[in-house]
Amino acid sequence: MPLTDSNEFKKKLCHIYNEVSKELFGFGTILLKATIDNNMVTFQARHRRSPRSTALEGEAPSLKYEVDFYMSSIYKKRIREKLEQDMGLAIEAVLRDYDPHTQWAITNIIVADNERTTE
């Protein structure tokens, strides 16, 4: 499926992003914006602070950092699966950075260019 910069397409992308967030964390995002540029989808999201995360931050900060890292990895895997299954996108890469202090996440999805030749 080709990427289109329509509001309807972006709404579907955001719905899937929030669906994965709810599945993994129990709730959706506070703010979420999807932008499309050529073969890249970028999500700018502000997540809610989990009570468990706050507790870990005070008691075991290194464990919280490790949990954040693994949850981000799981998020990337799930968002890839959902976008491929639900929207028929061929995902080349999912790149995600998350700042635990501000709860902001930037996720870049690179969609495979079917016209590109492999070397």
Side-chain angles (χ1 to χ4, degrees), residues 106-117:
I106 304 296
T107 306
N108 290 311
I109 311 286
I110 301 171
V111 179
D113 183 359
N114 294 333
E115 297 175 8
R116 184 176 19 197
T117 58

Side-chain angles (χ1 to χ4, degrees), residues 14-37:
C14 288
H15 176 76
I16 290 172
Y17 187 100
N18 258 328
E19 200 174 274
V20 173
S21 184
K22 288 175 187 176
E23 175 188 329
L24 293 178
F25 306 113
F27 36 75
T29 58
I30 297 170
L31 298 168
L32 179 59
K33 179 181 177 186
T35 56
I36 299 170
D37 186 21

Side-chain angles (χ1 to χ4, degrees), residues 55-109:
L56 278 175
E57 192 171 57
E59 296 295 321
S62 62
L63 178 58
K64 181 197 177 297
Y65 179 79
E66 192 172 343
V67 168
D68 286 343
F69 172 80
Y70 283 108
M71 290 306 291
S72 193
S73 295
I74 294 167
Y75 204 100
K76 291 186 329 183
K77 179 182 174 195
R78 296 274 169 82
I79 194 82
R80 173 192 290 267
E81 292 169 352
K82 293 290 284 178
L83 290 173
E84 288 178 342
Q85 291 171 5
D86 295 1
M87 298 195 70
L89 297 175
I91 307 297
E92 188 171 327
V94 178
L95 310 167
R96 187 169 196 263
D97 195 13
Y98 170 71
D99 179 56
H101 299 293
T102 63
Q103 305 294 304
W104 278 101
I106 304 296
T107 306
N108 290 311
I109 311 286

